[in-house]
């Protein structure tokens, strides 16, 4: 097909389902692992906060990197301090959560489960953020394409001016 009939490449429904299902599985694995986490309540609370901090930092970093890539010619108005906050926040979230996980006095197999589910959550968060951003950009490009194509369609003289149509 010509590029004019399909100006935007979109993710398939199967891919969108796979991304959402993977993210749901990752969140479920983390939630189950944290819900059954042996140890003191303070350790459990620390790990829940760490996982949530990592998840939100992953989405912020994904947006920051994508914005930077999209606006590479303009620098998107980001300051050096904002770059430091985004990258530093992600590094601190990952570092503190990893440190907390390694320092817990729990079964090594359970630690491995928590570690793998945590990494799975982070990777699926980046994939989900990319898919959602791609969908937004393709919807925007499609709307622009439709608006341009409507402008190029000749008007019917019997319809009148836009004010008369209303």
């Amino acid at each position: 097909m010509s590029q004019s009939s399909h100006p935007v490449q979109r993710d398939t429904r199967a891919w969108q389902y796979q991304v959402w299902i993977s993210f749901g599985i990752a969140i479920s694995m983390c939630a189950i692992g944290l819900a059954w986490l042996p140890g003191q309540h303070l350790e459990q609370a620390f790990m829940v906060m760490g996982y949530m901090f990592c998840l939100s930092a992953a989405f912020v970093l994904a947006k920051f990197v994508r914005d930077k890539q999209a606006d590479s010619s303009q620098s998107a108005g980001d300051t050096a301090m904002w770059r430091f906050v985004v990258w530093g926040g992600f590094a601190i979230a990952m570092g503190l959560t990893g440190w907390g996980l390694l320092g817990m006095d729990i079964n090594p197999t359970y630690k491995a489960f928590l570690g793998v589910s945590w990494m799975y959550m982070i990777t699926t968060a980046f994939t989900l953020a990319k898919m959602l951003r791609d969908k937004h950009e393709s919807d925007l490009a499609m709307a622009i394409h439709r608006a341009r194509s409507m402008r190029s369609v000749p008007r019917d003289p019997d319809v009148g001016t836009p004010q008369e149509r209303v």
Side-chain angles (χ1 to χ4, degrees), residues 108-154:
T109 304
Y110 201 84
K111 264 188 204 184
F113 174 81
L114 287 174
V116 169
S117 64
W118 172 44
M119 290 295 113
Y120 184 37
M121 179 185 69
I122 295 303
T123 57
T124 59
F126 281 122
T127 306
L128 178 62
K130 182 186 181 320
M131 185 199 70
L132 292 173
R133 182 72 178 259
D134 287 348
K135 183 176 181 342
H136 169 73
E137 288 177 354
S138 64
D139 289 346
L140 185 61
M142 186 62 80
I144 291 169
H145 174 71
R146 284 185 185 144
R148 286 182 181 159
S149 65
M150 290 190 69
R151 271 192 257 150
S152 65
V153 174

Side-chain angles (χ1 to χ4, degrees), residues 1-2 18-19 37 39 61 71 91 112 126-127 134 152:
M1 300 212 158
S2 72
Q18 179 183 344
V19 170
L37 183 65
L61 181 59
D71 296 334
F126 281 122
T127 306
D134 287 348
S152 65

